[in-house]
Amino acid sequence: MRQLMFIGPTASGKTSLVNRLIDDSFVRTTNTVIMDCRIWQRAATQEQILVYDMGCPTELIVAGLLPAIDVVFVVFDSTKVDSYIQAVNMLESVRNIRPDQLCCLLANKADRGTLISSPQGQTKYFQVSAYQPSYGSINYVANMMLA
């Protein structure tokens, strides 16, 4: 079974994106304590994908799971520069642990209108919105990354 992992700073919207991906719904959520694991059935292929929602991704947990993960989605709140910086640091940590890991940086909350620009234009990202998918669909990005 293929596997996805969502990591990112607190309150970046990881759980909301997972809910949008799996249930096509938006639910205001509280913080995920450590980790949640759910099954996503891809509509296009009927393939079942294991999805990890990491509440507080410690290096030990992430390093232990990485060998089995197909794509790591690093999520940040697109309205907060600090969230972006933390996400880029997490992305670098993942790449230090597993240099060949397929990763995707996601700017969540694109519907809020104020998107930060990449400091010095270094790291590119996809814009998505768990609240209003017309601003960027997590389903589209996930299917593209698994193709």
Side-chain angles (χ1 to χ4, degrees):
M1 180 180 292
R2 299 206 295 173
Q3 300 178 35
L4 305 176
M5 178 183 286
F6 285 76
I7 64 172
T10 301
S12 58
K14 300 175 294 293
T15 301
S16 293
L17 284 174
V18 169
N19 287 337
R20 177 61 70 187
L21 178 68
I22 294 173
D23 302 325
D24 194 26
S25 66
F26 177 78
V27 179
R28 294 197 189 277
T29 59
T30 57
N31 292 342
T32 304
V33 178
I34 296 176
M35 175 177 74
D36 190 20
C37 187
R38 297 177 60 195
I39 302 288
W40 170 44
Q41 184 149 347
R42 290 176 71 188
T45 63
Q46 298 305 306
E47 176 185 15
Q48 291 189 329
I49 310 288
L50 191 58
V51 179
Y52 293 96
D53 175 7
M54 306 300 290
C56 56
T58 66
E59 296 245 347
L60 182 61
I61 293 172
V62 171
L65 292 172
L66 274 181
I69 302 298
D70 293 282
V71 182
V72 174
F73 291 99
V74 184
V75 181
F76 69 95
D77 181 335
S78 65
T79 66
K80 299 178 181 173
V81 174
D82 288 351
S83 183
Y84 172 80
I85 292 168
Q86 289 175 35
V88 169
N89 289 337
M90 288 179 178
L91 181 63
E92 289 172 2
S93 293
V94 167
R95 292 209 169 122
N96 286 336
I97 295 167
R98 189 170 175 215
D100 63 340
Q101 179 66 56
L102 183 58
C103 297
C104 182
L105 190 60
L106 298 174
N108 192 25
K109 305 181 185 182
D111 57 286
R112 294 203 176 163
T114 306
L115 295 175
I116 63 143
S117 57
S118 307
Q120 301 153 10
Q122 294 176 345
T123 306
K124 303 296 180 199
Y125 52 81
F126 286 97
Q127 296 177 12
V128 294
S129 171
Y131 179 69
Q132 227 170 350
S134 61
Y135 282 88
S137 168
I138 183 58
N139 295 70
Y140 173 79
V141 176
N143 279 301
M144 181 181 63
M145 295 298 290
L146 288 169

